[in-house]
Amino acid sequence: MFVFTAMFASAQWTYFGFRAGMGFANISDDILMRRGIVGYNFTAYINYGFGQSESYLRNTFYLQTGVSLMRRGGYCSQTYTGYTMGAIREGFYDMWYAQVPVLAAFQFELPKIPYIDDPFYLHAYVGPAVSVGLWGDARERKVAPTYAQSSENYDHEAKAFDVVNRLDVNAIMGIGLHWRNFTFDVYYDHGFMVLYDEIDISDLDGKRKAFSGNNQAFIFSLGYKLPVYRNN
């Protein structure tokens, strides 16, 4: 708390903003994942500019932090060989997280557009984030058609974070435009924490191999920001 208080006390300018977006979310498992789901992001953030008044960085470089509510997940499907002869495994994961990012960002004024008084700015940002699972659903099933009564078969539903890891560590990178108080962003979010580990899947050549999955998403968002403080 003291650190944040000191930061705002020395701020050259501060903006509060909100953005909402949607896009493509998936679990990056090259063995199982077949398609993604619609990903959502709802973010409240603060931009903090700390360049000195005489510095070029005053209006160029800033930090952004806040909190996001986001949806991640995907569908999986795999037909594999082995002693169960052509078994099929399928799954669906629908997960909601709270995420706190800390991003380093730059903004640059673009060349003036005729008949438009206010300038457009190009901005870009990159940095880490921590995500904590809040709620979600998971369904997993495995069926061996030629061995319908096999004890290896299963079909069950569960709370998502009883099946996958709740904590994730992410990297975020994005680019966007803002004009007046309106913003448009496109960004990529990649999770580094393995969601799950198993060794019951074989690829088609019969060799058993472990698989793991990581969250990833491409999100398009629209937003609005308001100045909170500016030291002129």
Side-chain angles (χ1 to χ4, degrees):
M1 181 61 70
F2 173 78
V3 173
F4 282 102
T5 302
M7 287 176 59
F8 286 112
S10 62
Q12 296 300 313
W13 54 267
T14 305
Y15 277 80
F16 171 79
F18 176 81
R19 59 175 173 253
M22 62 186 299
F24 174 78
N26 196 11
I27 299 174
S28 59
D29 188 307
D30 60 354
I31 303 174
L32 281 179
M33 299 315 297
R34 288 298 176 261
R35 66 183 190 275
I37 64 174
V38 177
Y40 298 106
N41 268 62
F42 305 96
T43 303
Y45 64 89
I46 291 178
N47 290 344
Y48 167 75
F50 56 88
Q52 298 299 315
S53 58
E54 68 277 7
S55 170
Y56 170 75
L57 293 179
R58 172 180 168 87
N59 293 311
T60 303
F61 179 66
Y62 59 95
L63 295 179
Q64 182 179 111
T65 188
V67 61
S68 298
L69 175 66
M70 61 186 198
R71 184 195 190 207
R72 299 291 184 263
Y75 296 86
C76 66
S77 177
Q78 176 73 12
T79 301
Y80 60 98
T81 60
Y83 69 94
T84 52
M85 296 301 291
I88 299 170
R89 180 179 177 185
E90 297 177 333
F92 169 68
Y93 306 92
D94 182 355
M95 303 170 290
W96 287 85
Y97 292 83
Q99 182 184 79
V100 177
V102 179
L103 308 176
F106 288 86
Q107 64 178 11
F108 303 94
E109 184 176 343
L110 296 177
K112 182 176 176 59
I113 299 176
Y115 309 111
I116 299 179
D117 293 332
D118 296 300
F120 283 83
Y121 289 84
L122 175 70
H123 58 258
Y125 46 86
V126 63
V130 175
S131 303
V132 178
L134 300 177
W135 71 84
D137 297 305
R139 181 178 180 183
E140 297 180 328
R141 65 187 293 265
K142 185 170 74 172
V143 178
T146 56
Y147 293 89
Q149 304 303 316
S150 171
S151 61
E152 294 296 316
N153 295 337
Y154 56 81
D155 187 346
H156 67 266
E157 297 182 10
K159 294 181 179 179
F161 297 106
D162 291 340
V163 178
V164 303
N165 293 327
R166 186 177 297 271
L167 181 66
D168 203 358
V169 176
N170 309 71
I172 297 173
M173 59 187 70
I175 191 168
L177 292 171
H178 66 269
W179 176 72
R180 292 184 176 177
N181 294 336
F182 300 96
T183 65
F184 171 74
D185 291 270
V186 180
Y187 54 97
Y188 174 68
D189 181 350
H190 183 83
F192 289 98
M193 301 294 289
V194 173
L195 295 178
Y196 45 74
D197 283 305
E198 297 188 21
I199 316 179
D200 69 343
I201 299 301
S202 302
D203 53 18
L204 294 180
D205 63 8
K207 296 179 180 178
R208 300 178 69 78
K209 61 195 300 185
F211 71 90
S212 61
N214 301 79
N215 277 319
Q216 61 180 3
F218 285 96
I219 300 294
F220 300 84
S221 71
L222 294 174
Y224 191 82
K225 64 177 185 176
L226 290 170
V228 177
Y229 171 78
R230 189 171 187 93
N231 181 2
N232 294 317

